[in-house]
Amino acid sequence: LGGASDGAVVLGRSMQDRERMMGAQEQLESASSQLDQARRQAIETEQLGLDVLTDLRDQRETIKRTHENVSEIGANVAAAKAVLDSLLRRARQNKIMTYAILAFLAITAAGTFYLMHGGSSREAKPAQR
């Protein structure tokens, strides 16, 4: 009798152990699946990080080139301003010289006119008889 009841207990315990083992196996497979998924996400995250670093490096180079270009443009603008200032100064000098020459020619023309018409009438007055 005791053997029959012992067999049932052993059989029952055996079923419980098997169910526990199956549950542990399912947990292990679930954990392995989660670990694989976490590993894939880690690889994707690492790749994304590398892509971001590459983009940042490219943007840094672009910013450096832009800064150099802006500095060069600033130097060119300063040189152009100096040239324009020189041109304006020369234009003003030319304008003053033109007015001076015009004034000289006007005075010379007036003097010539005076000498030809006004000065000759005093000296060459016909004597009245």
Side-chain angles (χ1 to χ4, degrees), residues 9 14 16-17 23 26 28 36 44 46-47 50 53 55 60 89 93 95 97 104 109 113 125:
V9 170
S14 198
Q16 287 176 349
D17 287 345
E26 288 175 7
L28 182 60
D36 288 341
E44 288 174 11
E46 182 181 12
Q47 185 60 46
L50 290 173
L53 285 175
D55 288 345
R60 181 176 184 266
R89 187 176 59 255
Q93 289 172 347
K95 191 175 185 180
M97 285 299 286
F104 174 75
F113 183 77
K125 281 187 179 177

Side-chain angles (χ1 to χ4, degrees), residues 29-79:
E29 288 174 3
S30 175
S32 292
S33 174
Q34 288 177 350
L35 184 60
D36 288 341
Q37 184 179 1
R39 195 173 290 132
R40 281 191 304 272
Q41 286 178 346
I43 290 170
E44 288 174 11
T45 302
E46 182 181 12
Q47 185 60 46
L48 182 63
L50 290 173
D51 291 345
V52 168
L53 285 175
T54 301
D55 288 345
L56 287 173
R57 184 177 56 238
D58 292 345
Q59 289 175 1
R60 181 176 184 266
E61 291 299 320
T62 300
I63 289 171
K64 282 175 62 177
R65 280 194 312 273
T66 302
H67 179 68
E68 291 168 1
N69 289 342
V70 166
S71 297
E72 185 177 332
I73 288 169
N76 289 341
V77 166

Side-chain angles (χ1 to χ4, degrees), residues 72-86:
E72 185 177 332
I73 288 169
N76 289 341
V77 166
K81 185 180 183 311
V83 168
L84 286 175
D85 287 344
S86 174

